[in-house]
Amino acid sequence: MKINLERNLKAQPHRLRCVACWHTFSGNRSRLLLRHQNGSLIGDVCQECFQQGSGHIQQKFKQRAIELCAQPLSEYTSPSPHKQALVLWELASEPLVIPPVYYFWWRKLAILAATQKLELTRKGATNSRGSQPQISENLFLPEESSIGKDR
């Protein structure tokens, strides 16, 4: 598993649920997303869980898995709490890669540049008095880095 910082596509703040601690939090311009190594999405991670590190996130998965196993089986609950617990326990067992700090700084700069470019484009469509400055796409690191990968 790995945590990625990605641009939030919604312009206004909205409520998200942390996949680790299950608390709700307010989304802003960027989101911390937990993904499998193949890139498939697991869910959002709140800033508090992220700051406490990978061990904390995996411990939260284990705690929730134990709580779900304690629930009685019911034919009306789908998927069953025991299947959900199994998925959470598997997530807790996978190694979690948290990229270094400079990765997040580069991503935040890229998100800021993309947001400003969208704003300039939007303003340019309503105000065509002059040419708008162009932001080079080659200023930032590519999204897929080789950090933590075997060579």
Side-chain angles (χ1 to χ4, degrees):
M1 294 183 300
K2 60 184 174 181
I3 294 182
N4 289 351
L5 182 68
E6 297 184 16
R7 185 170 61 93
N8 192 355
L9 297 178
K10 294 187 177 187
Q12 69 278 6
H14 57 289
R15 302 301 291 170
L16 300 170
R17 183 175 300 274
C18 178
V19 71
C21 67
W22 214 241
H23 291 118
T24 59
F25 63 98
S26 181
N28 55 18
R29 226 187 315 197
S30 60
R31 295 169 70 177
L32 291 166
L33 296 176
L34 183 62
R35 294 185 176 274
H36 288 285
Q37 291 295 45
N38 66 6
S40 61
L41 181 65
I42 298 170
D44 288 280
V45 176
C46 67
Q47 192 68 31
E48 291 80 20
C49 287
F50 174 72
Q51 289 175 348
Q52 292 184 28
S54 60
H56 170 77
I57 293 170
Q58 290 173 319
Q59 186 61 34
K60 287 293 186 178
F61 284 149
K62 288 178 184 177
Q63 287 174 352
R64 284 200 27 239
I66 292 168
E67 290 170 5
L68 286 169
C69 281
Q71 292 182 4
L73 290 175
S74 170
E75 62 186 67
Y76 302 109
T77 306
S78 178
S80 77
H82 293 224
K83 287 183 182 177
Q84 293 176 33
L86 180 61
V87 170
L88 287 172
W89 197 265
E90 288 174 359
L91 289 175
S93 302
E94 284 185 36
L96 175 58
V97 176
I98 297 180
V101 174
Y102 63 84
Y103 163 81
F104 290 103
W105 284 108
W106 279 113
R107 290 297 300 149
K108 284 185 179 191
L109 285 172
I111 290 168
L112 178 64
T115 305
Q116 288 178 343
K117 186 174 181 179
L118 287 173
E119 189 64 25
L120 288 173
T121 303
R122 186 184 64 80
K123 286 181 180 178
T126 59
N127 181 10
S128 58
R129 289 192 295 187
S131 63
Q132 298 292 331
Q134 294 296 317
I135 299 173
S136 173
E137 296 293 329
N138 297 326
L139 290 177
F140 306 105
L141 294 175
E143 282 195 27
E144 190 63 35
S145 67
S146 62
I147 298 169
K149 293 185 180 177
D150 293 335
R151 292 182 185 246

